[in-house]
Amino acid sequence: MRNQYLLALLSAFLLWLGWPPVPYSSPILLIAFLPLLIAVENIIRNQTYIKKGKKIFFTAGLTAVLWNTASIYWVYNSISAVMPWYIAIFISLIPFLLGSLLMALAFRLYYQMRKKVSIILSLFGLMAFWISYEYLHQSWDLAFPWMTLGNGFSNFHQLIQWYEFTGVYGGTVWIWLSNILIFLLFLNKKEMNILAKPRTITIMLALLLLIPSSYSVIRYMTYEEHINPSQIVTVQPNIDPFGKFGHISPEEQLQTLMQLSKSVAKPNTEFFIWPETALSLRGDFDEEDFRSTSTFDSLINFLNDYKNGNILSGIESYRLYNDKRTSTAREVGPNLYKDNFNAATLVDVSSKLQFYHKSKLVPGVEQMPFGTAINFLKPLFSAFGGTTGGYGKQDKPSVFYSQSGIGAAPVICYESIWGNYVAQYIQQGAQFIAIITNDGWWGNTSGKDQHLDYAKLRAIENRRWVARSANTGISGFINQRGDIIQKTDWWVPAALTQEINLSEEMTIYTKNGDILAYLGLLGALLATLTFFKKSKTSNFIK
């Protein structure tokens, strides 16, 4: 088994090397699973091994744990910033180990399928099981789709302009098909009996690599945006997240935001984008009473200098109810319940005030996974601002509309890694994407860079500009091809202004979402049916 573990380590290294933020390294992902596939095949074919399923599970798990931990080590930083270290370690197990467990399970199911059908069908089953894992890990209460394989090409976006048709699941399929075909060539070279000719496999591999890449490069070089300009400002106040509710008063923070905005604003500026939780108050803002606050008065006074100006900002808010109308509302008095929100608001000089409540909440930090099923863990999460019941949320995205009719997608932090969710904003009329985030909790780690890279995927999938405001960085503007046109440095106060092009066109992906994921689920269901076939040991060498 020692050699098999070494092969698993090699796959983990290749997957890490091909992952963002290492620039232009993602083509490595097209071969990264080859060592692991060889290791699994060696286990299957070794006549002396017992409990092969267990060995395959742990071999694949080794690759998955090392790759995940090396790529998202920064998760612990973000959680330990707001919770005791021992609780942070516990919650960090969700991305570190849970995703790895599901990845390893896909290989274990592949082995089960190998006992029933040919190697080629089993390999396609493996791809379907993997896609199913990715879909599950973006859909349930423990969702963390950061490591979806298609995200890997965010560091080489010139090669995946076709995400406007498929989204990131197209990248997952591309990576797996390439690895499968290369693996079949390897088996042929080793004179292992498989039901495919080397020449056929070689032609298929060449077409698989050349057609998407060539189309993408041509599309990238010839893509032209429809001219529909709008002047946008994005602000990076660089408020130390550890001092936000300490030595830096809310009034000082607001002054910083307005001064930075004014430093680059033009008279025709239409949107000022401020980061997640930029508007804060000890005790949060009551949404029903927000207009009567001095903060709101300051915002209106600021906008008086900008005829068509709007402030799109993160805000910590709450609503009060006279009954427990949501599962997250907490009793704060007799017949009085309170829902806290990590929210966004759009403020303009009219009487209209718009709010959006973050929907994709961080498991264990912003929401209690599985609702009341694990209420006994509530004390563990009380360190996060007292929100032991979790933040309130809304079920669907909603678009902010300015007085002039411009639609903006208010995407808060973690939500930006859900391609299908962001596409729903566009379906509702969003003409550009505003990502507001606070990546300061992560420190100067690769997490902030990965988060920025992933925003390029949302631009390509929907052919929309992205205006990104991050409290401590990295803020910037991304065009419809996924190019970062401007960006700030890390941990400095800054503001940027950019004339972007609004768009009303909808891509095939925007209209149809993650169709490939649904096909993967169907494939996994069909693959599972083979488990009930009578075993044929000869299939191990087919």
Side-chain angles (χ1 to χ4, degrees), residues 247-281:
H247 61 276
I248 308 174
S249 70
E251 293 75 20
E252 290 177 281
Q253 295 175 42
L254 182 59
Q255 286 301 315
T256 298
L257 288 161
M258 293 190 295
Q259 288 170 6
L260 286 169
S261 298
K262 288 180 178 179
S263 69
V264 297
K266 298 180 179 181
N268 65 336
T269 297
E270 294 186 274
F271 279 87
F272 296 89
I273 314 297
W274 293 355
E276 181 181 18
T277 70
L279 300 179
S280 60
L281 188 70

Side-chain angles (χ1 to χ4, degrees), residues 14-299:
L14 292 174
L15 287 163
W16 168 79
L17 187 61
W19 204 253
V22 182
Y24 303 110
S25 65
S26 52
I28 295 173
L29 299 174
L30 298 170
I31 62 167
F33 283 106
L34 179 61
L36 178 58
L37 289 170
I38 294 172
V40 169
E41 190 66 21
N42 290 341
I43 295 171
I44 291 174
R45 291 173 181 265
N46 192 310
Q47 300 301 316
T48 65
Y49 286 155
I50 60 173
K51 297 182 179 180
K52 292 182 179 181
K54 183 177 180 181
K55 286 181 169 61
I56 289 171
F57 180 84
F58 282 108
T59 302
L62 176 63
T63 295
V65 168
L66 292 176
W67 170 40
N68 275 257
T69 304
S71 299
I72 55 174
Y73 64 93
W74 47 265
V75 168
Y76 172 78
N77 295 41
S78 63
I79 299 173
S80 63
V82 295
M83 290 184 173
W85 65 268
Y86 51 89
I87 299 178
I89 290 176
F90 176 76
I91 298 177
S92 296
L93 294 179
I94 295 174
F96 290 162
L97 296 184
L98 185 55
S100 302
L101 175 67
L102 295 171
M103 294 175 188
L105 180 60
F107 277 86
R108 178 61 181 84
L109 294 174
Y110 161 70
Y111 169 68
Q112 195 68 23
M113 196 173 173
R114 277 292 298 276
K115 293 189 289 186
K116 309 290 184 175
V117 297
S118 71
I119 184 173
I120 294 177
L121 286 177
S122 298
L123 287 167
F124 279 98
L126 172 59
M127 181 172 67
F129 292 137
W130 188 281
I131 291 172
S132 298
Y133 130 69
E134 290 188 342
Y135 183 78
L136 171 65
H137 215 30
Q138 76 168 31
S139 305
W140 63 341
D141 275 11
L142 294 174
F144 189 77
W146 201 276
M147 300 302 291
T148 298
L149 273 177
N151 290 340
F153 279 97
S154 62
N155 66 11
F156 202 165
H157 65 280
Q158 293 85 353
L159 289 182
I160 43 88
Q161 295 294 306
W162 42 271
Y163 275 21
E164 64 183 327
F165 303 110
T166 69
V168 294
Y169 283 100
T172 295
V173 171
W174 198 33
I175 290 168
W176 268 115
L177 287 177
S178 175
N179 278 276
I180 287 170
L181 291 175
I182 294 171
F183 176 57
L184 293 177
L185 283 176
F186 169 83
L187 293 182
N188 268 296
K189 187 174 182 180
K190 291 295 183 179
E191 299 181 353
M192 297 178 179
N193 183 33
I194 62 170
L195 301 177
K197 295 180 179 180
R199 183 179 178 184
T200 302
I201 299 173
T202 302
I203 293 173
M204 292 174 63
L205 179 62
L207 293 175
L208 176 71
L209 298 178
L210 289 175
I211 292 177
S213 300
S214 299
Y215 169 82
S216 186
V217 171
I218 293 171
R219 178 67 166 156
Y220 177 80
M221 297 298 293
T222 59
Y223 183 83
E224 294 184 3
E225 297 182 6
H226 176 70
I227 304 301
N228 186 10
S230 180
Q231 196 72 36
I232 311 292
V233 166
T234 184
V235 178
Q236 179 175 303
N238 204 48
I239 305 296
D240 186 340
F242 296 98
K244 185 174 181 64
F245 299 103
H247 61 276
I248 308 174
S249 70
E251 293 75 20
E252 290 177 281
Q253 295 175 42
L254 182 59
Q255 286 301 315
T256 298
L257 288 161
M258 293 190 295
Q259 288 170 6
L260 286 169
S261 298
K262 288 180 178 179
S263 69
V264 297
K266 298 180 179 181
N268 65 336
T269 297
E270 294 186 274
F271 279 87
F272 296 89
I273 314 297
W274 293 355
E276 181 181 18
T277 70
L279 300 179
S280 60
L281 188 70
R282 293 175 180 88
D284 299 344
F285 289 102
D286 182 349
E287 293 183 3
E288 294 296 326
D289 192 47
F290 185 54
R291 287 185 180 85
S292 65
T293 64
S294 59
T295 296
F296 184 79
D297 291 339
S298 297
L299 298 178

Side-chain angles (χ1 to χ4, degrees), residues 13 66 70 109 138 266 286 295 327 353 366 456 471 496:
F13 173 74
L66 292 176
L109 294 174
Q138 76 168 31
K266 298 180 179 181
D286 182 349
T295 296
S327 61
L353 186 61
E366 294 180 321
K456 296 190 288 185
N471 175 30
L496 301 173

